[in-house]
Amino acid sequence: MTMRIDPADPAPPGLFKRLDPAVLTAFGCIVALLLVGSLYSTSFLSPGYLLQQLQVGAFLAMAATGMMIVILLGQIDLSVPWLVTVGGMMSTAAAGYGPWGAAFAIPAGVLCGVVFGLVNGVGVAYLRIPSMIFTLGINAVAQGLMILRTGGSAPQDMATPAMHGLATGHALAGIPNAVWIWIVVGAVTVFVLRRTTFGRSVYGIGNREAAAYLSGINTRRIVLLAFALSGGLSAFAGVLLAGYSDKAYQGMGDPYLLPAIAAVVLGGTSILGGRGSYLGTTAGVILITLLQSILSVMQIAEAGRQIIYGVVIVAMLLLYGRGPRVGS
Amino acid sequence: MRDWRYRFDQHKATLSAALVFVVIFGIYAANHPAGFSANVVQTAANKGVLLALVAVGQTFVVLTAGIDLSLGAIFILADCLASWIVIGSPLMTGLGIVGVLLAGLACGAVNGALVIYGRLQPIVATIATGAIYFGLALALRPNPGGDINGDLADALTGQGPGGVPVSVVALVVIMLLVWVPFRRSVLGRAAYAAGSAEVSAYMSGAPVARAKFLAYCMAGLFAALGGLMLAFFTYSGEASSTNAATYTLNSIAAVVIGGVSLFGGSGSAVGAIFGALIFRTINDLLFVFDLDPLWQPLFLGLVLLLAVSLGSLRLLRVRNRLELFGP
């Protein structure tokens, strides 16, 4: 006897069932953090403070978006620190070339990041070098180039008014411009990942590259494109950051690698690729930003922050980031 | 005769790394303004041994097809810890050294436990634990400083009889005591097997989990040995995030240059030592040939990129595109 299946009842599962438990956990942690923070100071729940956190989080969100696309492929991009710096430094450098340079400062910075990202993509997709080591190498090369540029002389490193406005202004409805940018980039990413061939191919390659290849996907081009996107987004984070602090400097991208990976992984994206949602990454970014903010408000020293960071990430990974058992 | 050929093939990567090192070091010594002298060798050896120790640690993990991105942080943590406890009477100093090494071993054991028993991906797990270890180092030494047993430091960084650098002797002794027994043990063989084909090794009854765990512990131990050496060279401890990142990156570069496959299962720690020495000598060559110091980071980055790109030569042997995608 078979179960009767009602054809009219393939109802979409409820909202809570559709949501990844990891994403729910991440949002739960955000609420918990806010509650802990509000015990410490009531200003934690004020809209002004929350908007400011979102504004700061937007820079991390750019880097994390690129990182997420790469991680969905089952790869990783460890060149984020110096690509962020490349973005900041090259955009401010372009600003030195008169009014035309200033007008094209932002695209120039992003374009440099895309170029580095393309090299990453060629190494990973066409030369088939493990992304972890190749992107580390590109990070070192980018670092070398930036040191070469800034070391001997004091080049132009001031942000243009446009960059400053983009990162710190409030053009619309009292919400920081950086948050608007985050919303736009987020919406585009969701559309690309869910509704385009590129996005579905990214998930396919992340699940099983050989199968994706056999189904006719040009896997190498998709990987190349994903790394270029990641490079461009990292550089864009650098552009915003340079606008925020009004100048570009060496090492400005250093505090972005671990948080970007952590935000993606805490948001429930599988580090092995093929699984994860942008909502989760958003939650991860907010979670990391709030954690950083609360730790600094409580005046915990850098040492303690690093330790708590590491412990929280390991704990979250143990909760839902575990791989399959060998031999089963 | 057949046996000889097989053994030669197995050690080809290590032998070519050694050959490259001899050639490069020859060029370096011949062009050094002070000429080929015991002092030149001593300085070069001391810098080389630091990286070599961390690279040997990385080799253990890479052989099992893993990676440890926290080694730079363990290296710095050991340095900072040594600047507190490796001082005083010979007994106190000895206990201090044991303490530093145990700390390194513990860090490695945590990594191993997370990766093997916690089933986390080595990349993410060790990036996260690296943050913890670096935080601990920063807590120990918020500002550079501290002190270390000066007599022992001078002895270990100086020259022995005949002008042989003591640090190299120490490295050789450590390798004879740790690497050689490991290579010949069941666990060592299992580590190679696990890196080559984990499931097959498991099915053949090799102690895969224990071997991998041991590899991470050894990586922590060798990173701590490197940190201890760093403290001996600098007479102090400094929690430098730049150094931590640089040594992590350079240890991977050294391993790759030394002919250890990042996919696991092939290569040797001896090769990694030569890889480290090659990497360091290239750095020194830039000094000798008066290259602008500003160009150095870029040049080293390019060397690293080129070295890892050599791995793609295997693409020439691939006949079926599907082989590219792995299991």
Side-chain angles (χ1 to χ4, degrees), chain A residues 3-277:
Chain A
M3 289 268 287
R4 207 178 136 259
I5 297 166
D6 187 351
D9 192 31
L15 183 65
F16 280 95
K17 277 187 191 153
R18 265 190 302 156
L19 276 178
D20 194 339
V23 180
L24 282 177
T25 317
F27 275 112
C29 289
I30 292 174
V31 173
L33 268 182
L34 281 176
L35 287 179
V36 170
S38 67
L39 289 180
Y40 192 80
S41 153
T42 45
S43 64
F44 269 93
L45 295 178
S46 73
Y49 170 81
L50 292 177
L51 277 179
Q52 196 200 338
Q53 292 316 306
L54 287 178
Q55 181 186 359
V56 175
F59 311 144
L60 175 59
M62 294 306 112
T65 304
M67 184 67 82
M68 181 200 177
I69 297 174
V70 170
I71 287 182
L72 279 177
L73 286 170
Q75 309 282 2
I76 199 153
D77 186 352
L78 299 184
S79 63
V80 165
W82 281 91
L83 292 198
V84 167
T85 314
V86 162
M89 284 190 169
M90 289 298 106
S91 57
T92 54
Y97 293 97
W100 280 104
F104 286 99
I106 297 171
V110 174
L111 194 68
C112 289
V114 170
V115 170
F116 276 106
L118 279 173
V119 181
N120 272 335
V122 169
V124 175
Y126 291 87
L127 301 179
R128 309 252 3 141
I129 299 161
S131 56
M132 193 184 59
I133 172 80
F134 196 82
T135 54
L136 263 181
I138 290 294
N139 190 45
V141 170
Q143 178 181 14
L145 281 172
M146 290 304 109
I147 287 176
L148 194 59
R149 184 183 138 67
T150 53
S153 56
Q156 140 75 23
D157 63 353
M158 300 304 289
T160 64
M163 286 162 66
H164 190 66
L166 208 58
T168 59
H170 298 71
L172 250 160
I175 290 173
N177 291 344
V179 177
W180 285 115
I181 293 173
W182 186 359
I183 291 171
V184 171
V185 169
V188 170
T189 309
V190 169
F191 176 78
V192 166
L193 285 179
R194 300 186 72 90
R195 289 278 180 266
T196 63
T197 323
F198 170 78
R200 301 323 293 170
S201 310
V202 165
Y203 280 94
I205 293 172
N207 269 306
R208 193 163 281 270
E209 191 173 1
Y213 170 70
L214 288 177
S215 3
I217 294 173
N218 188 340
T219 55
R220 295 195 284 196
R221 203 167 61 203
I222 302 282
V223 173
L224 180 73
L225 217 57
F227 273 96
L229 264 177
S230 175
L233 281 165
S234 289
F236 188 50
V239 171
L240 289 178
L241 197 63
Y244 186 70
S245 49
D246 240 344
K247 66 188 299 235
Y249 47 94
Q250 282 187 27
M252 62 193 280
D254 286 354
Y256 280 87
L257 176 64
L258 176 60
I261 299 176
V264 173
V265 174
L266 293 186
T269 299
S270 162
I271 193 76
L272 298 171
R275 209 153 41 77
S277 69

Side-chain angles (χ1 to χ4, degrees), chain B residues 274-292:
Chain B
F274 284 114
L277 296 178
I278 291 171
F279 199 69
R280 262 285 135 84
T281 313
I282 291 174
N283 204 354
D284 290 340
L285 270 181
L286 304 180
F287 270 116
V288 170
F289 287 117
D290 243 0
L291 193 76
D292 192 335

Side-chain angles (χ1 to χ4, degrees), chain B residues 135-312:
Chain B
L136 290 173
L138 213 53
L140 282 172
R141 281 266 164 247
N143 300 303
D147 202 3
I148 197 137
N149 189 329
D151 297 336
L152 182 62
D154 289 340
L156 270 173
T157 56
Q159 294 171 11
V164 180
V166 180
S167 53
V168 171
V169 178
L171 178 65
V172 172
V173 170
I174 293 168
M175 291 301 283
L176 286 177
L177 283 179
V178 181
W179 172 256
V180 175
F182 172 81
R183 185 73 179 82
R184 285 156 190 260
S185 68
V186 174
L187 282 177
R189 200 147 281 273
Y192 271 83
S196 178
E198 184 162 352
V199 176
S200 313
Y202 176 81
M203 294 299 182
S204 324
V208 171
R210 264 188 298 142
K212 284 171 74 176
F213 184 68
L214 182 70
Y216 281 92
C217 292
M218 284 294 152
L221 179 69
F222 271 85
L225 275 169
L228 198 58
M229 277 291 185
L230 179 66
F232 286 141
F233 293 146
T234 58
Y235 298 94
S236 65
E238 182 190 359
S240 148
S241 64
T242 322
N243 270 353
T246 309
Y247 271 88
T248 306
L249 173 62
N250 290 0
S251 73
I252 299 174
V255 160
V256 173
I257 296 174
V260 181
S261 164
L262 277 177
F263 297 97
S266 97
S268 134
V270 182
I273 289 179
F274 284 114
L277 296 178
I278 291 171
F279 199 69
R280 262 285 135 84
T281 313
I282 291 174
N283 204 354
D284 290 340
L285 270 181
L286 304 180
F287 270 116
V288 170
F289 287 117
D290 243 0
L291 193 76
D292 192 335
L294 283 177
W295 281 85
Q296 278 184 31
L298 176 62
F299 196 80
L300 282 179
L302 287 174
V303 168
L304 169 67
L305 209 56
L306 204 69
V308 300
S309 302
L310 287 181
S312 65

Side-chain angles (χ1 to χ4, degrees), chain B residues 41 43 100 121 157 164 276 286 315 325:
Chain B
V41 176
T43 318
V100 170
Q121 281 300 302
T157 56
V164 180
L286 304 180
L315 294 188
F325 302 122

